[in-house]
Amino acid sequence: KMAAAAAAVPLRVCHQEIVKFDLEIKAAVQDIRDCPGPLSALTELNAAVKEKFRHLRGRIQDLEEMAKEQDKESEKQALLREVENHKKQMLSNQAAWRKANLACKIAIDNSEKDQLLQGRDILRQRKTTKESLAESASNITESLMSISRMMSQQVQQSEETVQTLANSSRTILEANEEFKSMSGTIQLGRKLITKYNRRELTDKLLIFLALALFLATVLYILKKRLFPFL
């Protein structure tokens, strides 16, 4: 009787550990099924499950050895049937484990594919935006160059006009003694010269402003193309 009581203690402990590892494996399989990724997290969960299966398999083997050591045939057969049930349950857990891994890997692959597609969409949008900005900058540059050419032509015309008026002024001055009666006309010519001198100054100022705007635009385009992260 004392030997039977002593043997019952490890049997009870073995039963408890088998039940504990079985429940832990079921919970771990559920964690694998719910794992959102990445694959490294799935690998860690699988390593833990493998360790629990190792412990469970060892306890089942211990129970089987204890069953074989039983004196009574009825107790021996009862324990062996229990061992078979535990083995079947372990095989069921292994099948659930494989299914959970398959489902988790499929979910992680789909998630990575979605992220990749989203990344491609973002890159495509950025490329479209850059092309639009480049086109706008090109149009602005062309417009500024056109304005610059027009201003240059206006300045050239103004210079020619001033030169013509200067020549006329010299002619009037040389003929001043002969055409004193045309002093009113000479005064009008002087007013015109003053007016065109002012116009020349205004044209030069406009050219300076246009060139400054053109250079600022070119610098902005170069900055966006060469240092987009600034």
Side-chain angles (χ1 to χ4, degrees), residues 13-219:
V13 173
C14 190
H15 280 301
Q16 291 174 350
E17 290 186 351
I18 288 174
V19 172
K20 183 189 75 168
F21 287 126
D22 180 71
L23 293 175
E24 289 179 352
I25 287 172
K26 284 181 169 61
V29 169
Q30 184 61 42
D31 290 339
I32 289 174
R33 189 177 290 107
D34 298 336
C35 178
L39 287 176
S40 58
L42 178 61
T43 301
E44 292 179 2
L45 290 173
N46 279 318
V49 173
K50 287 179 182 178
E51 186 66 15
K52 294 182 189 300
F53 267 115
R54 186 179 68 80
H55 288 299
L56 177 60
R57 193 177 295 108
R59 292 298 172 270
I60 293 175
Q61 290 175 354
D62 291 341
L63 183 61
E64 188 174 10
E65 291 296 326
M66 291 177 187
K68 293 177 180 179
E69 293 174 357
Q70 296 300 313
D71 295 331
K72 292 183 179 181
E73 185 65 23
S74 59
E75 293 180 357
K76 177 180 179 181
Q77 293 301 324
L79 287 174
L80 288 176
R81 285 193 297 270
E82 190 174 346
V83 168
E84 289 301 319
N85 289 334
H86 287 312
K87 287 182 178 180
K88 290 178 181 179
Q89 184 61 44
M90 185 175 65
L91 291 175
S92 176
N93 288 336
Q94 288 176 338
W97 180 30
R98 287 191 293 270
K99 290 180 180 179
N101 266 283
L102 180 61
C104 183
K105 288 179 180 179
I106 291 174
I108 292 175
D109 289 341
N110 290 335
S111 177
E112 290 178 351
K113 288 179 182 178
D114 291 340
Q115 291 177 0
L116 181 61
L117 290 175
Q118 290 177 0
R120 289 179 178 175
D121 291 339
I122 292 173
L123 290 175
R124 191 180 297 109
Q125 291 176 359
R126 288 181 179 177
K127 182 179 179 181
T128 303
T129 303
K130 287 182 179 181
E131 290 176 352
S132 178
L133 289 174
E135 184 178 358
S136 299
S138 177
N139 293 335
I140 292 173
T141 302
E142 185 176 354
S143 298
L144 288 173
M145 292 180 67
S146 177
I147 293 173
S148 178
R149 286 193 296 269
M150 290 176 62
M151 289 183 173
S152 177
Q153 292 175 358
Q154 291 293 331
V155 170
Q156 185 177 359
Q157 291 177 2
S158 298
E159 289 178 352
E160 292 176 354
T161 302
V162 170
Q163 185 64 36
T164 301
L165 290 174
N167 293 334
S168 299
S169 178
R170 285 195 296 271
T171 303
I172 292 171
L173 289 174
E174 291 173 359
N176 185 41
E177 293 297 330
E178 184 178 354
F179 300 101
K180 288 182 179 180
S181 60
M182 299 179 65
S183 60
T185 305
I186 295 173
Q187 290 178 358
L188 179 60
R190 288 177 179 176
K191 289 180 180 180
L192 289 174
I193 291 173
T194 302
K195 176 180 178 181
Y196 279 102
N197 284 333
R198 290 176 180 174
R199 182 176 178 181
E200 180 183 9
L201 179 61
T202 301
D203 291 339
K204 289 181 178 180
L205 179 60
L206 289 174
I207 291 172
F208 174 78
L209 291 175
L211 290 175
L213 180 60
F214 173 75
L215 291 175
T217 303
V218 172
L219 290 175

